[in-house]
């Protein structure tokens, strides 16, 4: 998915923008995709623009993960502030690509998740789609997860259906596993071509969320650049084994997780009795992400020849090495191996999902989310 700044010559092509700000709260990715042939769901990436999350808004989103005073009012103010970031990201994206806003069929705006409680019947993403329509003059599609949850599913992960669409053609002939390591980590298993096995996908545990929170608490940095803080420590097997007793890992797919299960307060409580250095805890958290992902591969994925990593975890060489050691029988690489930028795949997925919604096509896989069947996802706010 290399970005291009060349405008397609086919005037009948449709363009979609995907917006994603994930659990890591590092910023907003805006991706422009083109559907050249309306008879085919295949799309190509035209461009990408990233804007860092403003510090104050990031802190507010973190605070809103748990009950707060006046939180209803605060959540609405934060939603409007997020739309300002979304709008700036869209403006930057269109300037880069030279595409006129009138050529955009729809924006797929995921919103910022502050509660994910499918067992209680909801997943809450802060967003203000009406304000985004007014700011851009473009149709907005939002609230992608709730319909799947209403149909008995987890509402997550939603990207496996997109993975199946874009990776089936170029990949090797054996089975393939896509590991999206953002704040949380999820897996997509793509069976070998011709296999009767189904595509499966599920959240497998924390991705970067615990490592990010721990390194920020001890250094002030938002993330562990190149895994160096972890590299300065040594994993502690006793703490690792304690972390692995979390009840989430005993659950079978379909399953999903969020900051409700994995957060700074949890890891502080788990690590306190061991009296380790901050670096040793960081090294253990890195091993925890690698081990839980590898265990999920071993327990639930079928035959495969490669593991392709996307999301922020793809840029952590220490984590990539740990995955290679945990899964010696798989070729571990990033999605860039197939010309697909690991930074933008989730945002690209919401552009693709917006196209599905606009065309009245289902955007979920019931084998992944556990829903009662295929459903058209999202709410449409017309321009």
């Amino acid at each position: 998915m290399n970005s291009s700044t060349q405008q397609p010559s086919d005037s009948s092509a449709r363009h979609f923008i995907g917006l994603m700000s994930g659990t890591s709260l590092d910023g907003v990715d805006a991706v422009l995709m083109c559907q050249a042939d309306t008879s085919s769901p295949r799309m190509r990436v035209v461009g990408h623009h990233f804007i860092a999350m403003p510090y104050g808004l990031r802190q507010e989103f973190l605070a809103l993960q748990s009950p707060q005073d006046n939180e209803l009012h605060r959540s609405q103010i934060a939603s409007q502030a997020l739309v300002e970031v979304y709008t700036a990201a869209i403006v930057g994206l269109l300037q880069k690509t030279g595409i006129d806003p009138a050529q955009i069929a729809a924006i797929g705006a995921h919103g910022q998740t502050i509660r994910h409680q499918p067992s209680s019947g909801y997943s809450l993403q802060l967003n203000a789609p009406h304000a985004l329509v007014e700011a851009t003059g473009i149709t907005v599609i939002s609230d992608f997860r709730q319909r799947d949850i209403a149909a008995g599913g987890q509402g997550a992960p939603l990207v496996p259906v997109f993975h199946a669409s874009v990776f089936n053609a170029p990949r090797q002939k054996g089975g393939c596993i896509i590991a999206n390591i953002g704040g949380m980590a999820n897996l997509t298993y793509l069976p070998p071509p011709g296999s009767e096995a189904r595509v499966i996908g599920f959240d497998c545990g924390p991705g970067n969320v615990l490592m990010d929170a721990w390194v920020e608490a001890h250094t002030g940095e938002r993330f562990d650049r190149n895994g160096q803080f972890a590299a300065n420590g040594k994993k502690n097997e006793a703490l690792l084994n304690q972390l692995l007793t979390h009840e989430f890992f005993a659950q079978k797919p379909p399953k999903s997780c969020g900051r409700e299960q994995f957060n700074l307060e949890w890891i502080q409580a788990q690590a306190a009795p061991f009296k380790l250095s901050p670096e040793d805890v960081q090294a253990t958290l890195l091993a925890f992400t690698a081990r839980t992902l590898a265990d999920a591969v071993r327990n639930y994925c079928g035959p495969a020849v490669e593991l392709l990593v996307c999301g922020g975890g793809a840029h952590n060489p220490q984590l990539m090495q740990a995955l290679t050691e945990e899964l010696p029988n798989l070729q571990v690489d990033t999605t860039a191996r197939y010309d697909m930028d690991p930074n933008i795949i989730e945002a690209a997925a919401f552009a693709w999902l917006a196209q599905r919604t606009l065309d009245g096509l289902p955007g979920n896989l019931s084998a992944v989310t556990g829903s009662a069947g295929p459903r058209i996802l999202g709410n449409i706010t017309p321009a």
Side-chain angles (χ1 to χ4, degrees):
M1 285 190 179
N2 277 341
S3 297
S4 167
T5 59
Q6 297 300 311
Q7 184 171 335
S9 58
D10 183 359
S11 60
S12 66
R14 294 195 304 170
H15 296 81
F16 294 85
I17 292 175
L19 298 172
M20 185 67 193
S21 51
T23 314
S24 62
L25 285 166
D26 58 340
V28 172
D29 285 295
V31 172
L32 178 65
M33 298 190 75
C34 174
Q35 182 188 23
D37 181 357
T38 55
S39 67
S40 168
R42 294 193 64 80
M43 303 172 76
R44 69 177 184 86
V45 172
V46 179
H48 167 235
H49 189 63
F50 173 81
I51 290 186
M53 188 70 73
Y55 177 81
L57 183 56
R58 181 175 185 270
Q59 295 306 113
E60 183 70 336
F61 282 140
L62 286 170
L64 287 168
Q65 301 285 333
S66 56
Q68 300 287 318
D69 291 337
N70 206 21
E71 63 178 3
L72 292 178
H73 174 73
R74 289 170 60 181
S75 68
Q76 293 306 300
I77 298 302
S79 297
Q80 294 171 57
L82 178 62
V83 165
E84 292 180 7
V85 182
Y86 277 173
T87 302
I90 291 168
V91 169
L93 178 66
L94 295 179
Q95 287 176 344
K96 276 185 177 179
T97 56
I99 300 293
D100 189 284
Q103 294 180 262
I104 309 300
I107 299 166
H110 175 264
Q112 184 61 54
T113 301
I114 61 163
R115 297 282 201 286
H116 183 67
Q117 298 277 3
S119 61
S120 298
Y122 74 92
S123 182
L124 179 59
Q125 286 75 46
L126 294 188
N127 203 349
H130 297 88
L132 187 56
V133 170
E134 289 296 326
T136 62
I138 302 169
T139 294
V140 171
I141 299 170
S142 58
D143 197 19
F144 288 90
R145 301 187 187 276
Q146 200 59 38
R147 179 66 189 276
D148 184 86
I149 292 174
Q154 292 283 310
L158 295 180
V159 290
V161 64
F162 176 69
H163 291 160
S165 172
V166 298
F167 285 102
N168 266 330
R171 66 187 173 88
Q172 295 185 38
K173 297 305 180 185
C176 175
I177 301 163
I178 313 297
N180 179 34
I181 307 179
M184 302 300 156
N186 60 67
L187 295 180
T188 301
Y189 173 65
L190 303 176
S195 169
E196 294 184 359
R198 295 186 300 177
V199 172
I200 63 169
F202 54 95
D203 285 357
C204 55
N208 301 309
V209 66
L210 296 177
M211 292 186 283
D212 289 351
W214 187 260
V215 78
E216 184 171 15
H218 290 276
T219 72
E221 298 293 329
R222 289 192 180 184
F223 64 98
D224 186 5
R225 190 177 300 276
N226 296 321
Q228 284 306 300
F229 196 61
N232 290 333
K234 182 179 180 180
K235 73 175 178 182
N236 182 278
E237 291 290 347
L239 175 58
L240 177 58
N241 289 332
Q242 171 63 30
L243 299 179
L244 290 169
T245 64
H246 193 293
E247 61 182 4
F248 177 79
F249 304 110
Q251 300 171 19
K252 294 181 179 180
K255 59 180 180 176
S256 58
C257 60
R259 287 182 183 268
E260 291 84 356
Q261 294 94 340
F262 301 107
N263 51 61
L264 179 61
E265 292 72 23
W266 177 74
I267 191 57
Q268 287 172 331
Q270 295 296 309
F274 294 88
K275 303 186 184 305
L276 302 172
S277 72
E279 293 86 351
D280 285 352
V281 174
Q282 186 76 358
T284 306
L285 292 176
L286 186 146
F288 181 46
T289 291
R291 177 69 59 80
T292 53
L293 192 152
D295 283 346
V297 168
R298 289 186 282 260
N299 292 335
Y300 302 114
C301 295
V305 297
E306 58 188 341
L307 175 79
L308 302 175
V309 179
C310 58
H315 303 292
N316 186 330
Q318 304 295 330
L319 180 57
M320 293 294 288
Q321 180 60 33
L323 290 170
T324 299
E325 293 171 1
E326 285 279 358
L327 298 166
N329 296 326
L330 294 179
Q331 181 176 4
V332 177
D333 205 341
T334 75
T335 55
R337 173 181 176 83
Y338 294 110
D339 197 29
M340 297 185 180
D341 184 344
N343 293 324
I344 68 173
I345 288 179
E346 200 162 17
F350 282 94
W352 186 85
L353 285 167
Q355 176 263 315
R356 302 283 293 181
T357 302
L358 201 63
D359 290 348
L361 300 171
N364 63 338
L365 285 175
S366 56
V368 169
T369 65
S371 66
R375 296 292 189 270
I376 300 169
L377 306 181
N379 295 327
I380 301 174
T381 306

